Amino acid sequence: MRDVGVYSIARAMPRMSWHPRNLYNLWQRSVNPRVKNTSVFTTSEKTLFQQRWKSKALVRAYHGDYIPEKIFKKWYVPDGLPNVRPRKGVRGGDEGLLESYAGRKVREDEEYEEDEIKYEMAPVGSLMFSEVERRIDTVVFRGCFAHSIYEARRLVVHGNVLLNGKRHQNANTRLKPGDMITVSPKAIRFLQPPEKLDPTYTDDPNSSLPTPTTAAERLTPFHLPPYASPFLFIPAYLEPNFATCSLIYVRHPTARPGYSEIPSPYDADGEIVRFAWEWYSRRRPRVRSVTRLRRMPEDRTYDPESRDEREKERREQEVVRRKEEARRGGMILTEPPRK
């Protein structure tokens, strides 16, 4: 069984879950010095390979442990880390002039420069998990509609989640900005009345229920477990509405100096995330063939035409780079004969 040992206290690997054992593992990995010091590599005697492998195992336990490693490396590891600095104006365009006239561009540049001086560089290493955060099951869990990522995946597979008003049962789908998901209220556990805790509860539809009189009683009735408070937060790139049990994926996650929007039990700019990125940046396979692209998990932002253009541009840059290296080394490259 795949779920056996997921919340093992001996391994102390935090997961995307509200389980009490997972909360204890999160405390061990964050506070307990006996466990926390095992992932501090500043004074470690382990080799660089062992440090990278340990870091990879830790971050993968939290970010998509249910995704097979081969698929994760092929489809969910980005080609490179994005540039989160404010974009410069383009010559000949009036977009930068309009933003400067409105004062938005100046404020954005000044705020970013001040934050960069105060907090140093933005922790873009954590953005290597941005593709995992776009998955529909991850979005259901981040919106606090499920107790764990495993339950969120089951909600999608069993048809309890709607994507833009239509039932969607593919948990591997990656959303695009503007997509709205809706979860069935009957499938959300903390919206159900606690039968065991309330002896006066009855499921008789003919029974009379007390009429709500105050504003607090008219709100959505939440019945959260007492240990769920450390996990109750909503990322900035999501906009939930618990009255309708729906959520909008507003934009892709980003990072600013000293702050990353992707939730993680590890420091967004720490050595664990850095070593994990070094591990995957050296081992991610390149997907180039059309046959393999057809096997790609559903991505609602995927555009075959733009990808072909990027691939053509990448090949041209690769040829220029090889010629430049050959010129520096004194080699002479000739074009292959055309048939």
Side-chain angles (χ1 to χ4, degrees), residues 25 38 103 108 115 118 139 163 203 217 242 281 287 294 303:
N25 290 336
T38 58
E108 183 181 2
D115 292 344
K118 184 177 180 180
V139 171
L163 176 59
D203 56 355
E217 293 178 352
F242 292 102
S281 62
V287 182
R294 293 174 182 172
D303 186 5

Side-chain angles (χ1 to χ4, degrees), residues 79-146:
D79 295 335
L81 298 178
N83 183 13
V84 297
R85 293 186 176 182
R87 292 180 295 178
K88 303 296 182 181
V90 181
R91 291 184 178 181
D94 57 350
E95 182 179 357
L97 297 176
L98 293 175
E99 292 184 352
S100 300
Y101 178 77
R104 293 194 299 266
K105 188 67 175 177
V106 178
R107 289 196 302 269
E108 183 181 2
D109 294 342
E110 291 179 354
E111 291 177 359
Y112 189 89
E113 291 177 359
E114 292 176 0
D115 292 344
E116 196 171 27
I117 295 174
K118 184 177 180 180
Y119 303 106
E120 298 182 352
M121 301 295 291
V124 295
S126 60
L127 297 181
M128 64 178 291
F129 309 112
S130 58
E131 294 296 318
V132 179
E133 294 296 319
R134 289 175 49 206
R135 288 173 56 99
I136 187 172
D137 51 0
T138 307
V139 171
V140 170
F141 172 73
R142 295 297 187 200
C144 296
F145 291 119

Side-chain angles (χ1 to χ4, degrees), residues 37-52 54 271 275:
N37 293 338
T38 58
S39 58
V40 177
F41 305 124
T42 307
T43 58
S44 176
E45 297 181 356
K46 296 181 179 179
T47 63
L48 185 59
F49 176 87
Q50 292 174 335
Q51 295 176 13
R52 290 174 176 171
K54 180 66 175 179
E271 54 186 1
F275 281 151

Side-chain angles (χ1 to χ4, degrees), residues 6-214:
V6 169
Y7 306 118
S8 173
I9 296 178
R11 300 176 65 187
M13 289 186 173
R15 314 279 176 167
M16 290 187 187
S17 174
W18 295 2
H19 197 277
R21 288 188 179 180
N22 185 64
L23 181 60
Y24 180 72
N25 290 336
L26 181 62
W27 173 83
Q28 285 196 100
R29 188 61 63 178
S30 304
V31 180
N32 191 358
R34 183 181 62 85
V35 180
K36 182 181 179 181
N37 293 338
T38 58
S39 58
V40 177
F41 305 124
T42 307
T43 58
S44 176
E45 297 181 356
K46 296 181 179 179
T47 63
L48 185 59
F49 176 87
Q50 292 174 335
Q51 295 176 13
R52 290 174 176 171
W53 189 90
K54 180 66 175 179
S55 302
K56 182 268 298 184
L58 289 175
V59 298
R60 282 284 283 118
Y62 183 82
H63 297 278
D65 63 322
Y66 49 90
I67 304 175
E69 183 70 10
K70 184 177 181 180
I71 297 178
F72 180 84
K73 290 190 298 184
K74 182 180 294 185
W75 303 112
Y76 294 98
V77 177
D79 295 335
L81 298 178
N83 183 13
V84 297
R85 293 186 176 182
R87 292 180 295 178
K88 303 296 182 181
V90 181
R91 291 184 178 181
D94 57 350
E95 182 179 357
L97 297 176
L98 293 175
E99 292 184 352
S100 300
Y101 178 77
R104 293 194 299 266
K105 188 67 175 177
V106 178
R107 289 196 302 269
E108 183 181 2
D109 294 342
E110 291 179 354
E111 291 177 359
Y112 189 89
E113 291 177 359
E114 292 176 0
D115 292 344
E116 196 171 27
I117 295 174
K118 184 177 180 180
Y119 303 106
E120 298 182 352
M121 301 295 291
V124 295
S126 60
L127 297 181
M128 64 178 291
F129 309 112
S130 58
E131 294 296 318
V132 179
E133 294 296 319
R134 289 175 49 206
R135 288 173 56 99
I136 187 172
D137 51 0
T138 307
V139 171
V140 170
F141 172 73
R142 295 297 187 200
C144 296
F145 291 119
H147 283 55
S148 66
I149 188 63
Y150 315 109
E151 181 180 352
R153 184 177 179 85
R154 286 194 292 268
L155 290 178
V156 178
V157 173
H158 292 172
N160 294 315
V161 177
L162 304 180
L163 176 59
N164 296 330
K166 297 182 180 180
R167 178 178 294 181
H168 192 83
Q169 295 181 269
N170 185 4
N172 302 319
T173 301
R174 285 172 283 179
L175 304 180
K176 66 178 181 180
D179 284 344
M180 183 181 70
I181 63 171
T182 305
V183 185
S184 175
K186 297 182 180 180
I188 303 177
R189 279 201 286 168
F190 60 77
L191 294 182
Q192 308 306 319
E195 300 92 345
K196 297 182 180 181
L197 300 180
D198 188 3
T200 62
Y201 172 78
T202 176
D203 56 355
D204 186 5
N206 298 323
S207 61
S208 60
L209 297 177
T211 304
T213 57
T214 62

Side-chain angles (χ1 to χ4, degrees), residues 263-288:
S264 179
Y266 309 105
D267 185 8
D269 198 28
E271 54 186 1
I272 294 180
V273 175
R274 291 184 180 184
F275 281 151
W277 169 249
E278 292 177 4
W279 172 277
Y280 282 113
S281 62
R282 292 170 175 264
R283 289 168 175 80
R284 64 175 184 271
R286 294 186 176 273
V287 182
R288 303 303 179 194

Side-chain angles (χ1 to χ4, degrees), residues 294-327:
R294 293 174 182 172
R295 304 174 186 173
M296 178 179 64
E298 182 180 356
D299 187 0
R300 293 178 54 80
T301 61
Y302 172 68
D303 186 5
E305 296 181 358
S306 61
R307 187 181 183 93
D308 294 341
E309 294 178 358
R310 291 195 303 267
E311 180 64 18
K312 182 179 179 180
E313 183 180 356
R314 186 197 66 82
R315 290 178 180 176
E316 293 177 354
Q317 294 177 356
E318 182 70 16
V319 171
V320 173
R321 185 187 64 82
R322 290 182 58 189
K323 289 183 178 180
E324 183 65 21
E325 292 180 354
R327 184 185 63 80

